[in-house]
Amino acid sequence: MQPPTLSAPTRPPIRFDRNEVAGAFGDLGTDLPLLIGVIAASGIDSASVLILFGLMQVFTGLWYRMPMPVQPLKAFAALVIAQKIPGRVIFGGGLAIGISMFFLSITGLIDVLARLVPKAVVRGIQFGLALQLATLALTKYVGSDGAAGYALAAAAFAVTVVLFGNRRWPAALIVIALGVAYALVFKLDFATAQKAVGLHLPTWHLPQSADILTGALLLALPQIPLSLGNSILATKQVAQDLFPERPPLTIKKISFTYALMNLANPFFGGFPVCHGSGGMVGHYAFGARTGGSVVIYGSIFLVMGLFFSQGFADVVQIFPLPVLGVLLLFEALSLATLLRDISASRADLLVALLVGLLCAGLPYGYLVGLIVGTAIYYAMQRGWVGLGKV
């Protein structure tokens, strides 16, 4: 009798079909405004930011081989935009958060933290992010071009509703084509576009100890709770929800690649990045099923950084925000529907809704929601509070 042969496990394939192309635009409405905002507020080199952002996308697409894009650190970016923090502190803070996450990963402390946070709180963090994305889409994007913008958004919304989930005619491709046509007819300035063309490469930067310390205090500390909740715990849960047939991702693996990206980014002028459950949901919702969508998405930023980074903020403004708003709205709706798997438990649903409202409505809401939601959950489990019976 021959012994059974042991074949090496095969890696999931990467595709580059029309659904992967459509999925590649599923997170554009979140990333573009943040990147434009931090470049304008801090004066950091746009070529370096775009090229490194693209490279990190390609890296994570090839590493995970599923639609798991990277995003700019949101709390980090909000503070940079609000306080106009200079580049040297941004790079110092990025390195600080990379070192912190690397330490949590290799020591196993990240697994300890993950075990303490219940699933209801993770779902609440996702719901809070959904509320923020929907608010942004409806208040800032959809009406940004006046009556014409509303008409464009209505057309994009109708197309998305009709084609959402259609694998033959992916909704995002039709909506993006609609936006491009609108931009070419009403907004393109060829003189501005020509000024943006030219080859640019990333610039080397060596963070100083004082900038690392300042960045850690100003930027990394407010970001870590959001990263733990949305970038790591929620991303692991979404990967399990969307790809149950694959070996489950581990908390340590996600936090390790998060750390690696931010250990490399600061030395080449890149903005700090993370994984994100919203990005994965956005790519998946518009058709992506492999890492191909993330590689395509990253390649777009690579091309923009290498050849069109001069005047980047002016050039990308020609793409109509109402179209990005519709894409963002459906990403938010897809995130919100993840609540359904805890809806049978009144107590869990109550905790998730509370956490979501705290995350979306308060300064440092993700930190508050994570702590308060976890505390209430365990208090309810021990019978100390009876909110679940309301």
Side-chain angles (χ1 to χ4, degrees):
M1 180 178 179
Q2 295 291 329
T5 58
L6 298 177
S7 59
T10 58
R11 302 188 72 197
I14 291 182
R15 297 195 304 270
F16 296 98
D17 57 24
R18 60 177 176 267
N19 289 290
E20 297 298 312
V21 174
F25 297 99
D27 204 29
L28 194 63
T30 305
D31 296 339
L32 263 186
L34 287 178
L35 292 176
I36 293 170
V38 298
I39 290 170
S42 65
I44 54 180
D45 180 54
S46 58
S48 299
V49 172
L50 297 174
I51 291 169
L52 267 294
F53 189 71
L55 285 174
M56 296 303 108
Q57 302 285 355
V58 173
F59 161 72
T60 196
L62 296 176
W63 181 290
Y64 287 102
R65 307 178 82 81
M66 64 171 59
M68 189 162 130
V70 301
Q71 302 172 319
L73 294 180
K74 294 185 179 65
F76 211 102
L79 289 167
V80 169
I81 294 169
Q83 300 181 24
K84 299 190 183 303
I85 293 171
R88 55 185 176 77
V89 178
I90 293 172
F91 304 139
L95 187 57
I97 204 165
I99 293 170
S100 301
M101 202 58 67
F102 185 74
F103 174 77
L104 290 173
S105 177
I106 63 172
T107 60
L109 287 175
I110 193 71
D111 291 311
V112 176
L113 291 173
R115 286 194 292 269
L116 290 175
V117 181
K119 185 177 183 180
V121 173
V122 174
R123 290 295 189 224
I125 290 169
Q126 293 170 319
F127 179 58
L129 181 59
L131 291 176
Q132 287 188 321
L133 294 180
T135 301
L136 179 64
L138 296 173
T139 61
K140 300 293 185 183
Y141 286 8
V142 169
S144 61
D145 280 1
Y150 280 115
L152 179 63
F157 182 84
V159 168
T160 307
V161 168
V162 171
L163 296 178
F164 196 71
N166 190 309
R167 303 288 291 172
R168 185 174 182 182
W169 299 100
L173 284 186
I174 310 300
V175 169
I176 291 294
L178 185 64
V180 169
Y182 178 91
L184 290 174
V185 173
F186 296 106
K187 303 185 77 173
L188 181 62
D189 177 358
F190 285 100
T192 301
Q194 282 181 328
K195 291 178 183 177
V197 179
L199 178 63
H200 298 273
L201 298 173
T203 56
W204 172 259
H205 180 85
L206 184 63
Q208 302 299 307
S209 56
D211 296 328
I212 296 172
L213 179 59
T214 303
L217 295 175
L218 288 181
L219 299 171
L221 283 179
Q223 176 65 50
I224 287 175
L226 175 56
S227 291
L228 176 63
N230 182 58
S231 303
I232 297 175
L233 299 180
T235 298
K236 176 185 181 297
Q237 186 62 56
V238 166
Q240 184 176 323
D241 295 337
L242 301 181
F243 299 98
E245 74 283 358
R246 295 196 186 183
L249 293 181
T250 65
I251 293 293
K252 185 174 289 188
K253 183 175 182 178
I254 297 172
S255 62
F256 183 71
T257 53
Y258 179 121
L260 284 183
M261 291 188 293
N262 289 302
L263 289 173
N265 258 331
F267 294 100
F268 299 95
F271 192 80
V273 296
C274 62
H275 301 297
S277 62
M280 179 179 282
V281 169
H283 277 238
Y284 187 94
F286 286 100
R289 295 297 182 270
T290 80
S293 69
V294 186
V295 174
I296 293 167
Y297 188 50
S299 299
I300 293 171
F301 281 94
L302 272 173
V303 171
M304 285 197 296
L306 287 169
F307 302 109
F308 301 99
S309 57
Q310 181 100 16
F312 162 73
D314 294 328
V315 172
V316 296
Q317 291 295 345
I318 70 171
F319 192 83
L321 289 179
V323 169
L324 293 182
V326 171
L327 296 176
L328 201 60
L329 180 62
F330 276 88
E331 180 182 338
L333 291 172
S334 298
L335 267 174
T337 60
L338 296 175
L339 283 171
R340 65 183 181 272
D341 71 343
I342 61 168
S343 60
S345 168
R346 181 189 294 267
D348 285 358
L349 183 60
L350 182 64
V351 169
L353 293 175
L354 174 62
V355 170
L357 292 173
L358 292 174
C359 290
L362 292 179
Y364 301 104
Y366 287 91
L367 173 60
V368 176
L370 185 68
I371 294 173
V372 172
T374 301
I376 289 178
Y377 177 86
Y378 286 115
M380 290 167 63
Q381 293 292 306
R382 289 165 173 75
W384 296 345
V385 296
L387 294 179
K389 300 176 182 178
V390 175

